[in-house]
Amino acid sequence: MAKKITIALVGRPNVGKSSLFNRLIKKRKAIVDATPGVTRDRLYGEMEWEGRTIAIVDTGGFLPPDEATPILPQVIIQCQKAIVEADVIIFMTDVRTGLTPIDVEIMKYLRKTQKPVLCAVNKVDGEKQLQDLSEFYALGVEKIWPISAIHGHGIYELIDEALTLVSAEETKEEKIPSMAIKVALVGRPNVGKSSLFNRLVGDERSVVSDIPGTTRDTIDTILKYDDKTYLFMDTAGLRRKTRIKTRLERYSVKRALRAIKHTDITLLLLEAPEGITDQ
Ligand SMILES: Nc1nc2c(ncn2[C@@H]2O[C@H](COP(=O)(O)OP(=O)(O)OP(=O)(O)O)[C@@H](O)[C@H]2O)c(=O)[nH]1
Ligand SMILES: [Mg+2]
């Protein structure tokens, strides 16, 4: 199943983030007001689109962290958290005020995060405002998305595009294993391969027990370290062929051997008290 997508709405105060948020989640959850700086916390809502659940996150008006600001620093921290969590960021600006230096600063900040960003120009309620869009290309984006949060113009095109961007990222992620450096942890049963594996990937990824032969399938996981991508594999313990009794163990060993065949690096794990044996 496709994972839940998170879209964060980010932009300077008063551009209409909360209005868009309410419109997308079809609830009046966020407070909308003509006063800038209304929203402070992160607000979460959900929408269904194209069979996927999308979490929409409304944020308070964002100013780049080094701006001298009337906005509470906590609001900015909330925004930053929302940005980190997001798969796609909808960066909102406002056609009525036109492009401001703060918009430019925010865009610079967002670019550094390397997240996909869609640049939406809000309050394009009619034909008249369409004429005022060109200045927003100064943000250095390929495309500007004119929307009207109040009237709903253009908002689902925006969500469609966000989904396309996420799918592209997902496909990229799926392809990683072929480019990744493949590392298999190999060794006799019970030497601690899974414990090491979990430690390396920083997660309880493999079941660990003191029963020899706990791992049956070859468990793999992607690990990013030092700008490199690794596909780490935990394998079933290997024993001499003559000692393999059960079909299950034979299957496990087969998979472990297959993993070894396709790895770039095989880490042979030994148990110190025992030293090298002739397995
Ligand atoms: N004309 C027009 N006004 C809009 C539109 N969207 C929002 N507004 C108005 O813009 C003002 C600010 O809207 P909000 O949704 O509160 O903006 P915000 O970005 O959440 O603002 P903060 O939470 O203060 O950062 C309100 O008066 C809205 O009615 C729109 O599409 N067209
Ligand atoms: Mg708001």
Side-chain angles (χ1 to χ4, degrees):
M1 210 186 72
K3 71 167 180 118
K4 188 157 129 183
I5 300 164
T6 303
I7 300 178
L9 308 179
V10 176
R12 71 183 152 77
N14 222 31
V15 294
K17 301 176 294 297
S18 299
S19 304
L20 179 62
F21 173 79
N22 287 347
R23 179 108 201 173
L24 289 172
I25 67 163
K26 299 197 169 97
K27 288 193 186 101
R28 285 216 184 139
K29 187 167 177 176
I31 301 169
V32 169
D33 193 80
T35 330
V38 169
T39 310
R40 294 197 160 156
D41 300 283
R42 274 174 295 163
L43 291 178
Y44 290 82
E46 259 182 20
M47 68 180 283
E48 298 289 330
W49 190 247
E50 301 283 344
R52 298 191 72 157
T53 306
I54 304 175
I56 307 286
V57 190
D58 183 23
T59 64
F62 186 63
L63 296 174
D66 54 352
E67 286 279 328
T69 147
I71 304 273
L72 290 172
Q74 289 93 319
V75 176
I76 294 174
I77 291 167
Q78 289 294 316
C79 282
Q80 288 170 318
K81 280 189 198 286
I83 291 167
V84 169
E85 283 170 8
D87 299 300
V88 180
I89 294 151
I90 295 182
F91 167 45
M92 288 177 75
T93 55
D94 175 348
V95 78
R96 311 261 165 173
T97 51
L99 185 67
T100 71
I102 294 172
D103 293 325
V104 175
E105 284 306 307
I106 297 174
M107 187 66 210
K108 261 193 220 157
Y109 178 85
L110 292 178
R111 216 167 252 138
K112 277 192 230 147
T113 68
Q114 304 207 336
K115 299 252 176 171
V117 177
L118 291 172
C119 182
V121 181
N122 190 32
K123 309 192 188 178
V124 183
D125 302 334
E127 295 280 319
K128 192 176 159 288
Q129 289 85 32
L130 282 174
Q131 293 156 18
D132 303 328
L133 287 178
S134 54
E135 65 172 311
F136 288 93
Y137 284 99
L139 288 168
V141 291
E142 259 171 50
K143 192 166 161 53
I144 292 290
W145 298 83
I147 61 165
S148 167
I150 282 192
H151 298 280
H153 304 323
I155 62 173
Y156 293 110
E157 284 88 335
L158 194 58
I159 300 299
D160 276 337
E161 180 65 13
L163 282 189
T164 309
L165 290 178
V166 175
S167 313
E169 287 290 311
E170 280 170 352
T171 326
K172 243 195 262 165
E173 272 170 33
E174 278 161 20
K175 278 189 191 143
I176 283 171
S178 62
M179 298 153 21
I181 301 164
K182 299 193 186 71
V183 186
L185 288 174
V186 177
R188 302 174 57 221
N190 223 26
V191 293
K193 297 181 294 299
S194 297
S195 307
L196 176 63
F197 179 68
N198 285 345
R199 203 42 192 269
L200 286 170
V201 303
D203 190 12
E204 287 290 302
R205 185 70 176 80
S206 279
V207 176
V208 174
S209 88
D210 52 14
I211 306 164
T214 299
T215 305
R216 291 173 170 171
D217 295 291
T218 296
I219 320 284
D220 56 31
T221 196
I222 297 277
L223 180 72
K224 291 201 172 127
Y225 183 74
D226 220 9
D227 275 350
K228 290 195 181 70
T229 307
Y230 298 89
L231 181 70
F232 257 89
M233 287 173 278
D234 183 19
T235 65
L238 296 178
R239 301 197 293 172
R240 267 194 215 175
K241 237 186 194 161
T242 50
R243 294 205 187 151
I244 298 171
K245 298 265 151 41
T246 65
R247 202 168 54 162
L248 193 59
E249 191 178 358
R250 224 174 34 245
Y251 284 152
S252 299
V253 168
K254 208 168 154 185
R255 277 164 184 72
L257 293 175
R258 198 194 296 157
I260 297 170
K261 212 168 160 185
H262 296 288
T263 51
D264 302 302
I265 300 166
T266 303
L267 282 180
L268 178 65
L269 199 64
L270 306 167
E271 208 167 344
E274 208 177 7
I276 295 176
T277 69
D278 58 2
Q279 302 276 340

